[in-house]
Amino acid sequence: MSDRTDLEPADLLENNRRWAAGKLAADADYFNRLQHIQQPRYLWIGCSDSRVPANTIVGLRPGEIFVHRNIANVVPHSDLNALSVIQYAVEVLRVRHILVVGHYGCGGVKAALEGTDLGEIDNWLAHIKDVWREHYDAVMALPEAERADRLAELNVIAQVQNVARTSMVQKAWAEGRSLSVHGWIYSLADGRIRDLDVTIAGCTDLHAVFRIGSDCRD
Ligand code: CO
């Protein structure tokens, strides 16, 4: 592979020109169709890390997955950005699955564990530290080299809970719609995604504390 680190923005525009031309050559109606239809079945909530591109690693094409990414795939209860994405995906696009996807070797998780002063981002990483605090003894019982990857998994599990606790997801369940929230983790080392088996598919999977409305009973 040639050295791509010195690509300029103009080179990216040239790449784009060739990509669009290639698409049209294969299918003259390609963009016309995409322009009018967006019906993804999935919402991906993942890390901003450049090595974890959503569409690519699950083999989906443009139009097939709605994507939200931030540092260390965090879904804080009152983050207007994440909540807006979830509302649009659930209520307008009517996705059937929300995939919370963390990854091993996550820089955000490592930074939270190291506790170094990074400036404003420390306030964002505090969400990861909440998870670490909750599982402090279990994480610290591991060899140091394994702690970040375990915390990355625990963070996914916590964010699956946070997604399921939102009013939009619970409203979809109250309306009887099929909507599942999954927790996955991606390995940079082998390119594989592992299912953490923490899927939540209904309000009775939530602790009573977080249930909204009177429709949800065990
Ligand atoms: Co990351």
Side-chain angles (χ1 to χ4, degrees):
M1 200 165 88
S2 61
D3 181 13
R4 294 166 59 87
T5 57
D6 58 357
L7 288 178
E8 297 289 343
D11 298 317
L12 305 191
L13 291 174
E14 175 56 20
N15 283 351
N16 168 256
R17 195 195 59 74
R18 268 186 268 125
W19 173 80
K23 286 288 180 196
L24 284 176
D27 176 0
D29 199 39
Y30 183 78
F31 293 107
N32 187 38
R33 231 180 19 253
L34 260 187
Q35 186 175 238
H36 299 294
I37 304 169
Q38 182 180 220
Q39 288 178 316
R41 288 172 57 90
Y42 312 96
L43 164 61
W44 173 284
I45 298 176
C47 184
S48 296
D49 193 302
S50 64
R51 299 163 297 180
V52 194
N55 285 69
T56 307
I57 61 183
V58 289
L60 292 180
R61 295 171 296 198
E64 295 181 334
I65 190 164
F66 198 63
V67 174
H68 177 70
R69 291 167 69 181
N70 60 38
I71 291 172
N73 42 273
V74 176
V75 184
H77 294 306
S78 58
D79 175 14
L80 184 61
N81 187 352
L83 294 176
S84 301
V85 167
I86 293 169
Q87 184 190 359
Y88 190 76
V90 170
E91 295 183 2
V92 181
L93 298 173
R94 299 179 83 78
V95 299
R96 303 284 294 272
H97 301 276
I98 300 177
L99 315 167
V100 177
V101 189
H103 68 103
Y104 296 131
C106 184
V109 172
K110 279 188 195 158
L113 273 172
E114 285 163 7
T116 40
D117 181 352
L118 297 171
E120 274 191 321
I121 195 176
D122 290 321
N123 300 295
W124 183 256
L125 297 179
H127 294 297
I128 314 275
K129 293 181 180 183
D130 285 340
V131 180
W132 182 20
R133 177 69 189 84
E134 195 178 332
H135 301 276
Y136 189 79
D137 292 342
V139 170
M140 298 312 281
L142 294 170
E144 201 173 340
E146 296 173 19
R147 290 175 190 163
D149 285 350
R150 181 58 186 150
L151 184 53
E153 293 176 350
L154 292 168
N155 179 48
V156 167
I157 295 166
Q159 305 312 326
V160 164
Q161 281 286 328
N162 283 355
V163 171
R165 291 168 188 175
T166 62
S167 57
M168 299 78 79
V169 168
Q170 294 198 48
K171 181 166 164 247
W173 286 332
E175 290 168 357
R177 290 177 46 203
S178 169
L179 178 64
S180 305
V181 187
H182 308 257
W184 290 358
I185 192 134
Y186 175 74
S187 169
L188 297 172
D190 65 8
R192 296 294 301 275
I193 294 171
R194 288 159 182 82
D195 189 343
L196 292 172
D197 282 325
V198 291
T199 305
I200 299 181
C203 63
T204 54
D205 291 338
L206 291 177
H207 189 285
V209 164
F210 296 103
R211 295 178 193 170
I212 299 171
S214 55
D215 293 338
C216 187
R217 295 276 181 264
D218 275 314

